Each structure stands twice: as structure tokens, then as C-alpha cells.
Amino acid sequence: MNTPTAAVGSAAARTPRPSAGAPALRELADGVFVYEQPDGGWCLNNAGVITGGGRCVLVDTVATRARAERLRDEVARVAPGGPDTVVNTHFHGDHVFGNSLFTPRATVIAHEGTRSDMAESGLGLCRLWPDVDWGEVALALPDLTFTERLTLRAGELRIELLHVGPAHTANDVVVWVPEHRVLFTGDVVWSQVTPYVLMGSVSGSLRALERLRALGPRTVVPGHGPVGGPEVLDATEDYLRWLARSARDGLRAGRTPLETARATDLGRFAGLVDPERLVGNLHRAHAEATGLAPGARIDVAASCQEMVAYLGHLPACHA
């Protein structure tokens, strides 16, 4: 596709970001760890590890075989037997493709809708970036599903799985460790990375953020980007409210989502990783503003094609 020529503040005008750094496992609280994958761009998600009483819960996996093997090695440093449970916060491949390296020993848990979406989407993400070395990935669907909430335990630590979608997808789950006030948000929350709500909801994301804020987290582990505190919730909300205003302005001007993206100055959000997600986000925001229900199906392929048109090339994926 041709490079857009009328993109005010578009991603195409930005200097390409440097290669991503090395992933690292670090402790956030006693028995609670984050596995961060910088810089949090496409398919570079975070995972969580919670240990206690000889039990281990892994929150999300990763995208490629090589990255999953590295995650497995890092988890083994703090839980030599590996995780007993893997929780998938949503169905996207960067959060679930590594499941098979931890099964059948580990029980995989997810929302009932997430399991259905995983089965339907399969390994489709691999086709989006054919040049990525995905390795031998195999889909391991959840063994156990729930619909609203589920409580796990690792020794004395209580681990609450809460359904808060539609937000990033139709059925997002967060993982809350109340004793340490650590919150693993999946892709409901982003840190220094452009949020993405194409398959979920703008209004639903805002409602989810209110619910997460009410938990009173001290440490917030976003799905992508650096760990932070409650300010990470605020930053995600700030972007989403700006997005909603931009969509309303575009609709009043009679523009399509792509036209709105090209006419929109990214302003204070220009420094976020992967700003081209604005196109997909506007597709969802425009659709919701004209009556589409939160989380309802949308044309993902058309949005991705327009995102490439906006950017001028395929978005960078360092998986």
C-alpha cells in the first residue's frame, strides 16, 4: 500500500524505534514477580508469576517458541517444578501461544468466552507477521473456564481472577493479589504503549478502569510496557477519552476512521509505542458511537489493512 501523504502527526513521520531489550523476571512483592518484555510493542507482552506454599501461578504466556522457552527457564528459577496453573487474561496469541510449554502439568484457566475465541482464532496471528520466527507453537486451550470470578490460592496468597470485559477484547480477565495490592491487568491497561481496543470497547474499557481503580492497587502490571502504579490506569484512561473525542470530531466532519486518523494530531500521545493503533481504535470508537454494542464483532481485517495504509508499511513486530 502507498504511504499516506496527508497524515498530520502520523506514525509514518516518526523515527523508527530501536530494537527491543532483553526480557527480565523481577520480584514485585514476596512471591509475586513480573516478566517484562521491552519495549512492549506488538507481541511483546508482560507475564506474571505468583508463588507460595509450593504452588505457582503463571499469568499469561508469550508469542513465540523461543520466547516461551526463555519464559519457562525464568519461571523455573523461582518455581523449579514449573507452574501448576496458567491464567490467560484474553485470547490473543502473544498471551497464549506459549501455553503448550507448560501443559499438561499446568492447568490452563481462562474466561469461557476467551476459550471460544482462542479456538476460533487458532494460530492466525502468525499470518499477520509471516517474517517473524514463531517456531513450533501449538495451541493449548484452557482446561478450566469461568464467567465472572474465580479465586485461586498459592499458599497463603489469595489470587482473584475477575472478569472486567469487554475492554481490550470481549472477555478480559485481570488477576488481583490483594495481600500485596498487585494487579495484573492483561491488555486492559497499557504503559508507555498505545492502547488497543479494536476487538473490545472504548466505553467498556473506561468502565473496567473505574473498577480496577476501586481495588486500590499499589502496583499495576500492564499487558504491555513498564510496571507502574495507579498512574498507569490514569494514562490509559486519558488516551481513551481523547480517542472518544477524536472519534466524535471525525464523525461530525463526515470522515471515515482512516480519514480521522490522518487528520488527527497525536499531540502528547505521539511518543507512545505503536501509535498506528489509532486507526483500529477509531474503527471501534466510530462503530460504538453509531450503535455497535461493546465487544460486538467488527471487521478486523479491514482495520488492519487501513492501519498499514496509515503507517505506510506493516507495523513493526519484534517477537
Side-chain angles (χ1 to χ4, degrees):
M1 295 187 181
N2 294 329
T3 301
T5 58
V8 178
S10 78
R14 299 176 68 242
T15 302
R17 69 180 191 254
S19 297
L25 183 74
R26 63 186 180 91
E27 194 165 22
L28 301 173
D30 187 20
V32 182
F33 303 80
V34 61
Y35 184 72
E36 287 179 300
Q37 296 196 107
D39 61 355
W42 293 104
C43 296
L44 293 175
N45 63 299
N46 298 325
V49 181
I50 306 166
T51 63
R55 307 286 294 177
C56 176
V57 176
L58 175 62
V59 181
D60 282 331
T61 57
V62 290
T64 68
R65 177 81 185 196
R67 287 184 177 273
E69 289 173 347
R70 181 165 185 164
L71 172 62
R72 182 183 59 190
D73 292 344
E74 288 295 296
V75 172
R77 291 199 299 109
V78 297
D84 303 281
T85 304
V86 173
V87 177
N88 291 146
T89 59
H90 61 288
F91 76 94
H92 290 159
D94 51 337
H95 294 255
V96 308
F97 281 177
N99 285 2
S100 64
L101 271 74
F102 300 97
T103 59
R105 182 188 189 281
T107 298
V108 181
I109 302 177
H111 188 273
E112 178 67 23
T114 292
R115 189 185 195 282
S116 299
D117 287 339
M118 282 176 64
E120 181 180 340
S121 60
L123 301 177
L125 182 65
C126 301
R127 294 192 294 273
L128 190 58
W129 283 284
D131 293 335
V132 167
D133 183 7
W134 298 96
E136 295 181 8
V137 292
L139 200 65
L141 295 175
D143 308 290
L144 175 64
T145 61
F146 67 103
T147 55
E148 293 301 325
R149 62 188 302 152
L150 182 67
T151 299
L152 308 176
R153 283 181 170 78
E156 297 300 314
L157 279 183
R158 193 167 76 256
I159 304 165
E160 298 180 3
L161 313 186
L162 308 173
H163 176 229
V164 299
H168 171 62
T169 66
N171 291 292
D172 298 280
V173 166
V174 301
V175 179
W176 171 233
V177 187
E179 283 83 353
H180 294 305
R181 294 170 58 194
V182 177
L183 178 64
F184 295 90
T185 69
D187 288 358
V188 176
V189 177
W190 306 70
S191 175
Q192 300 177 27
V193 179
T194 305
Y196 196 46
V197 295
L198 173 66
M199 300 181 199
S201 171
V202 181
S203 59
S205 291
L206 292 171
R207 285 192 294 271
L209 288 167
E210 287 183 13
R211 185 175 175 187
L212 299 187
R213 195 175 282 112
L215 293 172
R218 179 170 53 232
T219 304
V220 177
V221 181
H224 296 252
V227 172
E231 75 280 354
V232 180
L233 306 179
D234 299 337
T236 299
E237 179 178 353
D238 186 28
Y239 177 90
L240 292 171
R241 292 198 181 281
W242 169 82
L243 168 69
R245 290 193 298 271
S246 299
R248 289 194 294 268
D249 290 345
L251 285 167
R252 280 195 295 268
R255 296 186 179 117
T256 65
L258 179 57
E259 290 169 342
T260 299
R262 286 175 167 170
T264 298
D265 187 341
L266 294 173
R268 64 187 182 279
F269 303 110
L272 297 181
V273 173
D274 298 330
E276 67 273 9
R277 291 177 181 156
L278 173 63
V279 178
N281 292 334
L282 284 167
H283 269 268
R284 173 58 64 175
H286 276 220
E288 281 195 14
T290 54
L292 185 70
R297 295 294 179 96
I298 200 168
D299 192 338
V300 174
S303 168
C304 289
Q305 290 170 354
E306 291 191 0
M307 188 161 54
V308 173
Y310 170 79
L311 188 60
H313 52 79
L314 192 68
C317 177
H318 295 298

